[in-house]
């Protein structure tokens, strides 16, 4: 799927079905006088249901679907015949979708399991037929209940990609190149900033057929909190990651400083992001000879308060160690 087909935010107006009206029919049949009330109940209006689908990874199919309406319930009829229930309307969404009330921005529900359903708008109940109201003092009720109207609500669907590892780094740090090497993903790669404009997912094949998922989000820059660059729009996609992999090139002027800037931007976006496990990958390290690497390692040990590994996506150096470290962090037992 192309970048242009990735949609992670849509607003939809949903309307459930109205309940059908009960019938006020009085039984009429040859040779039977005063047959009495036999009006049936109205049918329930259709629900609007949001359902998780593991085969979806974007909200693109809802991009141009601004209104979703469920079917109305049928009216009751004679011989106590109930009206048919209105058909429910399903909205399939990828796992990781957050449902918000558009007006209040309150989170209504999160869809994280395949097949999980949430009724976002209940259909109206059908009205009772007149046979419910007969009594010894009112043997011929000529009235029935109308159906209850359905509900209308504006909802916002916001996708937060479900992945194990989130890649964090400045533009052109080599995140897309790393993803293309350790997974089968084919992200756009070029020698200019912001080549990645949409999140990319890749599945890492580990030892003994084990796998884990890595998410590459567009690069953030200093000042993203003020809307510079692409701002914070895509950071929601690493909120659910248990591990963050910071990618900083070996030729950066100050690796420790770049790391602190990235951490500060995450802190300003959501302080809880700093509770996740973190690992730094020093990319493009094939440019370093043994002497330069030793000098850089001594500098990092002194100034960098975090674990790190040296890698090169192009030369495919240090990738096995990187996978081992990530797998160990992902499967670390909580204290």
């Amino acid at each position: 799927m192309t970048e242009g087909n990735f949609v992670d935010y849509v607003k939809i107006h949903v309307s459930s079905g109205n309940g059908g009206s009960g019938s006020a029919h009085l039984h009429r049949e040859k040779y039977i006088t005063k047959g009495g009330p036999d009006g049936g109940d109205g049918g329930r209006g259709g629900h609007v249901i949001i359902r998780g689908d593991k085969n979806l990874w974007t909200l693109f199919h809802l991009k141009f679907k601004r209104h979703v309406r469920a079917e109305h319930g049928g009216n009751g009829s004679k011989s106590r015949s109930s009206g048919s229930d209105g058909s429910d309307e399903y909205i399939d969404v990828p796992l990781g979708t957050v449902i918000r009330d558009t007006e209040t921005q309150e989170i209504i529900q999160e869809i994280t399991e395949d097949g999980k359903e949430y009724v976002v708008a209940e259909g109206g109940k059908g009205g009772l037929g007149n046979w419910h109201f007969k009594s010894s003092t009112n043997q011929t009720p000529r009235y029935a209940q109308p159906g209850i109207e359905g509900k209308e609500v504006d909802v916002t669907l916001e996708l937060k990609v479900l992945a194990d590892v989130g890649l964090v780094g400045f533009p052109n740090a080599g995140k897309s190149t790393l993803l293309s090497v350790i997974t089968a993903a084919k992200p756009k790669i070029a020698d200019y900033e912001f080549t990645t404009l949409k999140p990319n997912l890749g599945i890492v094949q580990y030892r003994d057929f084990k796998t884990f998922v890595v998410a590459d989000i567009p690069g953030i820059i200093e000042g993203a909190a003020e809307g510079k660059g692409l701002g914070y729009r895509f950071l929601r996609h690493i909120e659910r990651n248990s591990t963050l992999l910071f990618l900083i090139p070996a030729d950066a002027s100050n690796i420790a400083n770049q790391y602190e800037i990235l951490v500060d931007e995450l802190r300003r976006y959501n302080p809880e992001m700093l509770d996740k496990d973190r690992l730094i990958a020093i990319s493009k390290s094939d440019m370093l000879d043994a002497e330069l690497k030793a000098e850089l390692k001594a500098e990092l040990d002194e100034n960098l308060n975090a674990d790190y590994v040296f890698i090169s996506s192009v030369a495919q150096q240090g990738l096995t160690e990187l996978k081992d470290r990530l797998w160990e962090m992902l499967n670390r037992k909580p204290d």
Side-chain angles (χ1 to χ4, degrees):
M1 182 169 287
T2 64
E3 282 188 345
N5 287 344
F6 183 87
V7 176
D8 60 357
Y9 186 89
V10 295
K11 293 181 179 180
I12 299 179
H13 180 80
V14 300
S15 306
S16 60
N18 298 333
S21 298
S23 171
H25 187 268
L26 299 175
H27 185 71
R28 292 290 182 266
E29 190 176 344
K30 190 176 183 180
Y31 305 122
I32 298 178
T33 58
K34 298 181 180 180
D38 70 344
D41 302 338
R44 171 185 64 79
H47 300 319
V48 178
I49 302 172
I50 296 179
R51 178 174 58 190
D53 185 343
K54 66 180 181 181
N55 296 315
L56 296 174
W57 74 283
T58 173
L59 298 171
F60 179 77
H61 62 294
L62 302 173
K63 183 176 180 180
F64 304 105
K65 193 171 185 178
R66 299 304 189 190
H67 299 273
V68 176
R69 295 183 177 90
E71 188 179 40
H72 298 315
N75 295 329
S77 58
K78 62 183 180 180
S79 302
R80 298 188 185 180
S81 296
S82 299
S84 59
D85 290 340
S87 298
D88 296 331
E89 189 71 23
Y90 286 88
I91 304 174
D92 289 321
V93 298
L95 306 187
T97 298
V98 176
I99 309 168
R100 293 182 184 271
D101 184 298
T102 300
E103 184 177 350
T104 64
Q105 286 301 299
E106 178 185 356
I107 294 179
I108 303 173
Q109 186 63 265
E110 297 187 32
I111 305 296
T112 57
E113 300 174 14
D114 184 47
K116 180 178 180 179
E117 297 182 359
Y118 176 74
V119 179
V120 72
E122 290 187 353
K125 290 184 177 180
L128 299 178
N130 64 347
W131 72 275
H132 286 279
F133 305 108
K134 66 179 181 179
S135 66
S136 58
T137 57
N138 185 11
Q139 297 184 0
T140 313
R142 299 178 184 273
Y143 54 85
Q145 286 182 336
I148 297 176
E149 291 186 355
K151 297 180 179 179
E152 295 190 27
V153 62
D154 290 307
V155 295
T156 298
L157 303 180
E158 183 180 283
L159 175 61
K160 295 183 180 180
V161 168
L162 294 177
D164 301 304
V165 179
L167 288 177
V168 181
F170 288 106
N172 215 20
K175 300 189 302 300
S176 296
T177 303
L178 175 62
L179 190 72
S180 70
V181 171
I182 64 175
T183 75
K186 301 299 179 186
K188 183 178 179 181
I189 301 172
D191 59 353
Y192 57 86
E193 295 186 347
F194 298 119
T195 52
T196 302
L197 299 177
K198 304 289 183 182
N200 291 303
L201 283 181
I203 300 176
V204 177
Q205 301 290 337
Y206 190 59
R207 307 172 192 268
D208 302 324
F209 305 103
K210 300 183 180 72
T211 61
F212 57 91
V213 180
V214 177
D216 166 30
I217 67 164
I220 59 176
I221 65 173
E222 186 174 10
E226 286 76 41
K228 293 182 181 179
L230 297 177
Y232 283 166
R233 179 182 170 189
F234 298 111
L235 283 182
R236 71 170 75 100
H237 295 296
I238 58 174
E239 281 189 291
R240 287 199 174 104
N241 304 155
S242 61
T243 299
L244 299 179
L245 177 61
F246 291 79
L247 215 64
I248 302 175
D251 59 353
S253 58
N254 190 322
I255 293 177
N257 184 54
Q258 285 204 7
Y259 172 67
E260 291 302 326
I261 291 173
L262 291 169
V263 170
D264 184 59
E265 290 297 334
L266 293 182
R267 181 188 296 112
R268 296 171 71 181
Y269 170 72
N270 182 353
E272 293 181 2
M273 299 275 272
L274 303 188
D275 295 333
K276 302 178 183 296
D277 290 333
R278 286 176 263 169
L279 178 66
I280 301 172
I282 311 299
S283 63
K284 306 179 184 179
S285 61
D286 56 311
M287 299 185 300
L288 306 173
D289 57 24
E291 185 179 350
L292 285 174
K293 184 177 288 189
E295 291 180 5
L296 182 57
K297 189 175 187 306
E299 180 183 335
L300 294 178
D301 288 341
E302 182 179 351
N303 300 314
L304 197 60
N305 187 26
D307 291 336
Y308 63 89
V309 293
F310 288 99
I311 68 165
S312 171
S313 302
V314 175
Q316 299 202 10
Q317 297 174 358
L319 300 183
T320 300
E321 181 187 356
L322 175 64
K323 292 179 185 179
D324 288 341
R325 294 288 295 275
L326 291 174
W327 182 260
E328 178 186 343
M329 294 170 74
L330 291 172
N331 292 276
R332 183 182 299 159
K333 294 183 179 180
D335 296 332

